[in-house]
Each structure stands twice: as structure tokens, then as C-alpha cells.
Amino acid sequence: MPMRFSIYRYDPDRDARPHMQEYELAEVRPGMMLLEALIELKRQDESLGFRRSCQEGVCGSDAMNINGRNGLACITPLKDLKEPVTLRPLPGMPVIRDLIVDMEPFYRQYRAVKPWLTGETPEVEREQLQSPEERERLDGLYECILCACCSTSCPSFWWNPERFLGPAALLQAWRFLADSRDQATDQRLSLLEGNYRLFRCHTIMNCVEVCPKGLNPTRAIGRIKALMVKKSV
Amino acid sequence: MNVERRKFDALIIGAGGGGLRAALQLARADAQVAVVSKVFPTRSHTVAAQGGVNAALANVLPDNWHWHMFDTVKGSDYLGDQDAIEYMCRAAPKAVYELEHAGVPFSRLENGRIYQRAFGGQSQDFGGEQAARTCAAADRTGHAILHTLYQQNIRARTHFFDEYFAIDLIRDREGYVLGALVMSIESGECLLIEAKATLIATGGAGQLFRTCTNALINTGDGIAMAMRAGVPAQDMEFFQFHPTGIAGKGMLITEGARGEGGYLINREGERFMERYAPHARDLASRDVVARAIATEVREGRGCGPEGDHVLLKVDHLGEEVVAKRLPGIRELALTFLHIDPAKEPIPVYPTAHYTMGGIPTNRFGQVVAPVRHGPEEPVPGLYAAGECACVSVHGANRLGGNSLLDIIVFGRAAARHIVGFLQENRYHRPLERESVERALEHRARWDRKGKGEPVAEIRRELRKVMEEHCGVFRDQQVLSEGLDKVKALAERLQEAVISDHSRIFNTARVEAMETENLMDLALATVTSALARTESRGAHSRIDFPERDDENWMKHTLCFADGRLDYKPVRTRPLTVDPFPPKPRVY
Ligand SMILES: Cc1cc2nc3c(=O)[nH]c(=O)nc-3n(C[C@H](O)[C@H](O)[C@H](O)COP(=O)(O)OP(=O)(O)OC[C@H]3O[C@@H](n4cnc5c(N)ncnc54)[C@H](O)[C@@H]3O)c2cc1C
Ligand code: SF4
Ligand code: SF4
Ligand code: FES
């Protein structure tokens, strides 16, 4: 059975404006994922640009807007998609070419939360201890693959990209706040103070709905807010 | 030479675990480092590693580095270099503690220490009871390690060139490597990065085979670049087929699934590994289990309507173990098979997984090649670490959990050696025009217009040929046919063209250059496999079923022109007695 696609095309050297291009895939194999379809379409048209690597939803390369919803092409089954399958780059990001966006604004926010463990210098010849319960608090946080599906579907992020850190970066902020080994709680919280960096989240929950890893940035943001309140009284 | 130039003390090509571990070490030593990667660092394939990293921490069962060393030598089918293996196994606990200190969220035991699981080929007391040596962060250990190393590198202000594609090394007439020509994928512009020392950490070449566990970016670029710069590729005939890829698709189901108590069954429901490895059973070495599965299927005991796979059972472990210890593979099985492993067995078949061969190095990460004085003369200014390198700690068959260890131990070792090298080589050497021009020509080759076959078709055929002619079982006829076919494809690639000549983020051009690299490695792999008339580790010849230590306990070196050379295995460890070759039973 053939399947129809409508794909956002833009090459800044050639096109004055972006346009949608129609494609048809002659044969859809059972169980086929969207990324496989894109690779097939690229055989028809080498100029079609998209990022990809692992093909199994762990590297975060191939996030795109699929029929209006952000997701990873490699773990999106074709059979669930309405035709024509409409593919656009992640919303709210500068487009480099076709489905490829400039991720730098997203990475900048990630770096802004100082996403690294900051602790006392541990003894060299053994591990720092952490109980299974303490470790469990990191589940649902450390698995983020930095795909940007969440942040680029967050209205607060679109409107204040320079000031609101967005769900992915805030999830990472909480990942380190929640780590029993981390000693930088106060610095981390003061980084997030002010009206915007954290507080622009209006719990619209788009981020939770689209995260391909089933993570919950909204909950993490709520936890940071709660911790701030607790620290300030 | 109309190309922009940048100068650094050290250049690292590759931002997987190997490259990032080295970068961290160099940044801490206040060297100026550039890290070039064709994808954003956390998208490197280390992110996909599941099961864990080996170190004799003895957190769960008694253990020590010497037992780990024994297992690694035996696992390598005695092709591993024992000095490097001793070094790695001794360094392992400290390397893992360093990762923990850097922030890796390892799973934990009740007493707060790092969780360790059983993996294949591990034993206590030199071949005794099963050991538990693999330190795990659930079944997402690679992700946990890669993200942590990236985070620490941002903290250390390492200079990243993200989405830059390395094209070729620059080497002068005296043999010094002076950096590399790279290309910004976004702008299509070339950039010449001059460095006093260059480290290749470009990972493996699983894309040689149609069904593989590797990412699309794993095209062995660094190994091919080294070959073009005159360095031979070592032991390329040893390619690991992982026993448990998802049948027909290739995604990996970690050995950790068997480590947690899972096992394999054939169509009769028989636990067939008991016949092949009575002692270690499902946790025998990978080559042994992969051959057993392939044999079951060949002899008609495969499962499914086509009888083309076997089943991996973990459902008896219970919901909680699967949810806690194997959440990643559960997600994979649900996504790609609509199967919940906590309820149903998973169809699996051996899948191309790991490049044991690669750029020859010593245990300091220096690239070594036969030049004037013996087979292991360091190439000045050139280092390699990680899956692209062949130290060789894996020999003819890598043990699960030893590769994440390899990348962090030798990433660090190479960086430490580079620090010393930088002290003795304080200035950049002058560039020679020719070498840069050669590299620029290579880049320009894909500007050619006109009629010609598309590259993508050649890449597809190559992967199919490799799978059919250089798979789990090999013989003279299948291999020599394979060699002819690869040569024919190489000729077709000469004439191929790409139709997209745009400048900005031209992925067709990148894929064409990757295909050239794959082609060079395919030639080296089949040529080396055809010449080796014995069976050892992952290289299994039906026509020569025995290991032949008298004639073949040696490393293969294959040059870009197909010429073969050999060098002895380093059988002398650093401090302990050697492990002499013995029949390998599990
Ligand atoms: C699915 C899977 C599971 C695994 N599980 C385990 C496990 O549990 N335990 C274990 O020990 N091992 C495991 N392995 C093996 C292990 O993960 C790899 O061998 C290891 O991560 C390789 O790391 P690396 O740093 O050498 O290379 P990679 O992580 O592959 O990184 C290569 C880097 O080089 C860059 N690069 C490549 N070519 C170029 C170029 N031309 N220009 C610029 N940059 C380039 C890439 O962008 C990337 O940054 C697994 C492997 C797979 C595939
Ligand atoms: S919940 Fe907050 S972070 Fe998530 S989409 Fe809504 S506003 Fe954005
Ligand atoms: S939280 Fe989820 S959606 Fe957001 S970047 Fe991480 S993995 Fe992607
Ligand atoms: S290709 Fe890696 S997440 Fe889709």
C-alpha cells in the first residue's frame, strides 16, 4: 500500500521561502517506522535533509513535528499516522535546512542550569555511597536524551526563548537537585530565581504529553518550586 | 590552499565515551583541545550501550583484577595482548570510581555501593564459578556515562566542533601527523585543524553489515582515514556478532538480560545452550552463543513460521526485575515488536555488533605501524582509542562490558601520553602543501556532476554482500566470492555521483564519504578473513574449524592496497605470569 507525505522543504541557498513538498512511498512494510520511510524517500530524493543516528529512540537526533505533534521519527510507527503525513521541523527553532533546526538555543538553556554533578572531592579509591531509594529519585530524570520535543512544544518557551529555560533544562536542573551526591543546592536554586527562568511554566503539560521517553518535566518543575518555597521559609 | 585554519594543542576526532574521556583529561591538564564530532556529542553511539562496564569491584561476589584478566585473555581466544589486558583490568576499578564521582547514576545495592550484574564469559578464580563484574546503570549504562562525560566537559570548557565531519588526516613526509581536514556539515566549508597531537576516537563500523546493532553513523571513518594515511588496519576479520539482536531488525537485547537470569530456547522449548556450554550455558562467551544460535537455526530447530530465530525468555524473572533492571529493553521490545518481555519471550538472532579490529595502538594509545624498525613503531603525533582502535584487549572476541571499560581506560591513557608528548613537542610543525591538497581533492571528488549510479544503492548492496559473505560462518568459497563482489562495488563507487550539490547541511555528501570509508574497511575485512585459515573467536571457518596456534597466533595487518602483514601477539603481561593458550571451553 502506498503512503503520501507532505514535507517541509527549505534550502536557504536556493529557496526564498520554505514550501511543502509532496512525496509518495510505494510500499509500506508492516511494522515500518517513520524514519525508515524517510530513508526510503531520501533514495528518491537525495536532497531531503533530516538528522538521524541510532534508529531506536536513544540518541535524540530525529525529533520533528509529525502531523502537528513533536516526536522521534525512528520510534513512530507509520500505521498510526493520518495521510498525508505532514512533517515539519521542530516549531519555534531557526531552520537550517528542511527538517533540520538550529538546536543551539536549546543547548544553551541546558548549559545554563550547570548540568553537572558538583560535590565535595570524594575519596579516590571508592565510590560515594547512595542508597537504592536515593538512587531511585533519579529515575525519570537522568534518561533525558536532549531531543527537544518537549521544549519546542512549550508555549512559554516559544514566547520567552531567551528567558524561560524550558522543560528539558529544568528537568536536568531537578536531576542534580535530586541527587543525594550533589552539594550545590543553594547555587542551583539561586540560578533559577526571578520571574522567568523557572516561573514561566504555567503547567500546560504539552511537554509531558510529547516526551518520547515518558519523562515528566512538569512534575520536576513543581518539585523545584516546592523546594524553593521550603528553602525560603 | 584556500582554507581556514585553526590551531590547537590536541585534536580529538570523535565525541563518544572514548573521545570525551580523553578530552576531560586533557582539559584538566590545561591543554587546548578541540573535539570534532559529526553529531552532537550525546548522540554518539556510546549512548546506546545497555548492559554495563566491567570492573572487579567485588561488590556482589568475590572478585579481583587478575580473574578479570584471565577471563579477558580467554575470551579473546588468546589473540589479546596481555600487557594491555593487564593494564586495563588493573585500571578498571579506579576508572569506574572516577565515573561515579563525575556523576554517573549507577544502580545501587542495599549497602549503597554500585550494582554489579553477571555477564557472559565472567568467572571467579580463573575459570570457576560465575562472577558478577558488570557495573550497571539499569540497562542504560552507555547513556549514563556519555551524558556525564559530556556534562563534565562543558564544565571544563572543552572546545567542541559539533557536526563537523573529519575527512582526512594531514601527515608530513617525515611521518608526523599534524591534524586533520574537517568540514562543517552546516556550512559545507572546510576547516584545517592543526594540532601537535591527534587522537582518533571515531567508534566502530557496524554499518558494514545489513543487520546490525549499530547506529547509522557507525561507518568506521577513523579507521579508513588512518589507512589512507598509511597505517594498516589490524585484525579486521574479527567482527563480533552479538547473539541476541531482535530477529530481522537488529536492535540489541543486552547480555544483561541473560545476566539477570534470562535464557534461550529453541522450537522444542529446549535450553539448548546446555549442550554447547554445559558449565556457563547462556553466559558463555558471545562467539560461542552466537554460533550455537546460528547452528540451531541451520539444523531446523529455529522458532517462528520461518524457523529463522530462537527465543530469549525473561518473563519468568517477574515484572519487578524487568521493570527495574531492564527497562530499556522492555521499551525496545514494546516499540519494535509489540511484545512485553515481562510476559512473552523475545525473538532473537545473531547481529553484527562490535569491531574488534581497528587502528593498531599500544597501551599508551599511540598508533603503531611497521615503518623501519619493527612492526610497532609509534606514528608521531597520532593516537587512537575506543572501538576504532585495536590495542588489542579484545583479540578475537570481546567480552560484554569490556568495551565501555576499554574506552574510558584507554581514552584516559592516551590523553596522559599526549600530555607528555606536548611537553616535548612545544611547537606546531610546518604544514606541507601536498598533504593538505590531497585531502581537499578527496573532499572535491563528490562535487563531480553528470551521470552515475547513486551512492545509496552501492551502500545497500555492500551491506548485503558483507552479511552474506562475511557472517557468523565463513569458508574459502563464500569469502572469495565476497571479495570479488566487494571489489566490483568499489569500482562502481569510483563512478558514482550524488545529485545534491548544495552547500548547507548536505547529508548526501556526508553519506557518500561514509560509504567510501565503509568500502575501504569491507575490503580489509574480507581480505583478512580470507587469508586466516583457522577458526578463532568470532572468525569461524567451516573449512578450518580448529584454532591453529602454531601458525596463526598473530595479528593481521591489512594496508589500504590490500597487502597483508602480520605481527606477533604480546603474550607477556606487565607483572604477572602469562596465560598460555588453552582449549576454550565454557
Ligand atoms: C547497542 C549497543 C550496546 C552496547 N552495550 C555495551 C555494554 O553494555 N557494555 C560495553 O562495554 N559495551 C557495549 N557496547 C559497545 C560500546 O558501546 C562501544 O564500543 C563504545 O561505546 C564505543 O565508544 P567510542 O567512544 O569508541 O565510539 P562512539 O561512541 O561510537 O563515538 C564515535 C564518535 O566519533 C564521531 N565520528 C565518527 N566519525 C567521524 C567523522 N568522520 N568526523 C567526525 N566525527 C566522527 C562520532 O560523531 C562520535 O562522536 C554496545 C554497543 C552497542 C551498539
Ligand atoms: S508544563 Fe510548563 S514546561 Fe511544560 S509545556 Fe507547559 S509551560 Fe512548558
Ligand atoms: S525531557 Fe523528554 S522530550 Fe524533553 S528533551 Fe528530554 S527526552 Fe526529549
Ligand atoms: S535516530 Fe536516534 S532517536 Fe531517533
Side-chain angles (χ1 to χ4, degrees), chain A residues 13 42-43 46 51 53 59 97 107 115 123 126-128 130 135 142 144-146 175 181 213, chain B residues 43 59 100-101 103 105 108 112 114 143 151 163 216 331 457 460 499-500 502-504 507:
Chain A
D13 275 351
K42 196 173 169 63
R43 286 173 71 199
E46 276 187 336
R51 292 190 178 98
S53 178
C59 77
R97 169 179 179 160
Y107 298 143
E123 295 169 67
R126 57 174 301 178
E127 68 264 58
Q128 309 172 81
Q130 186 173 50
R135 168 60 183 75
Y142 81 95
C144 172
I145 57 174
L146 298 177
R175 179 249 174 274
R181 299 169 297 174
K213 298 270 99 178
Chain B
R43 322 224 183 274
N59 285 357
E100 193 281 324
H101 297 161
R108 298 290 175 152
I114 294 173
H143 174 288
Q151 291 159 353
E163 305 198 284
L216 288 162
E331 207 178 298
E457 297 312 310
R460 285 164 80 93
S499 57
D500 179 9
S502 61
R503 208 167 50 95
I504 307 290
T507 44

Side-chain angles (χ1 to χ4, degrees), chain B residues 27 47 111-112 129 175 183 250-251 291 308 333 339 397 402 408 496 533 539-540 574:
Chain B
V47 82
N111 64 8
E129 292 302 300
M183 175 185 81
M251 296 83 188
R291 274 194 294 276
D308 58 358
I339 281 179
N397 170 64
N402 264 358
I408 55 169
T533 50
H539 175 67
S540 184
L574 300 173

Side-chain angles (χ1 to χ4, degrees), chain A residues 150 153-157 164 166-167 200-208 217-218 221:
Chain A
C150 57
S153 65
C154 163
S156 297
F157 176 86
F164 174 54
R200 272 291 130 163
C201 168
H202 298 305
T203 46
I204 312 168
M205 301 281 280
N206 285 10
C207 54
V208 181
T218 316
I221 293 169

Side-chain angles (χ1 to χ4, degrees), chain A residues 118-136:
Chain A
T118 309
E120 278 151 27
T121 315
E123 295 169 67
V124 285
E125 81 309 338
R126 57 174 301 178
E127 68 264 58
Q128 309 172 81
L129 299 182
Q130 186 173 50
S131 72
E133 295 72 37
E134 286 166 337
R135 168 60 183 75
E136 217 160 275

Side-chain angles (χ1 to χ4, degrees), chain A residues 11-77:
Chain A
D11 175 352
D13 275 351
R14 202 179 48 200
D15 307 321
R17 240 171 294 111
H19 61 279
M20 299 302 287
Q21 186 173 334
E22 312 305 312
Y23 288 91
E24 193 176 285
L25 183 66
E27 203 203 309
V28 175
R29 295 185 298 273
M32 202 170 179
M33 297 289 175
L34 175 58
L35 179 62
E36 294 172 80
L38 280 168
I39 291 171
E40 289 291 323
L41 295 179
K42 196 173 169 63
R43 286 173 71 199
Q44 296 172 21
D45 175 1
E46 276 187 336
S47 73
L48 178 61
F50 53 90
R51 292 190 178 98
R52 82 290 179 274
S53 178
C54 72
Q55 303 171 278
E56 55 181 47
V58 297
C59 77
S61 295
D62 58 345
M64 57 186 71
N65 189 266
I66 306 160
N67 283 348
R69 192 191 141 101
N70 291 350
L72 299 173
C74 60
I75 52 170
T76 301

Side-chain angles (χ1 to χ4, degrees), chain B residues 67-138:
Chain B
W67 302 347
H68 183 186
M69 177 181 173
F70 168 81
D71 290 339
T72 304
V73 173
K74 177 179 170 189
S76 81
D77 219 349
Y78 301 93
L79 194 72
D81 289 322
Q82 298 195 19
D83 56 343
I85 295 176
E86 175 176 346
Y87 177 79
M88 177 177 83
C89 297
R90 274 179 179 277
K94 183 145 180 275
V96 168
Y97 294 143
E98 279 176 358
L99 288 177
E100 193 281 324
H101 297 161
V104 172
F106 283 110
S107 302
R108 298 290 175 152
L109 297 161
E110 279 308 321
N111 64 8
R113 312 201 73 147
I114 294 173
Y115 172 74
Q116 295 190 283
R117 61 163 56 110
F119 244 51
Q122 299 181 347
S123 71
Q124 300 179 46
D125 211 8
F126 311 105
E129 292 302 300
Q130 176 72 40
R133 190 175 292 140
T134 306
C135 310

Side-chain angles (χ1 to χ4, degrees), chain B residues 543-563:
Chain B
D543 45 353
F544 298 94
E546 299 302 321
R547 192 177 77 197
D548 175 1
D549 289 326
E550 202 169 310
N551 295 302
W552 284 106
M553 212 171 114
K554 58 188 180 187
H555 295 294
T556 307
L557 299 174
C558 182
F559 291 84
D561 59 7
R563 182 166 57 88

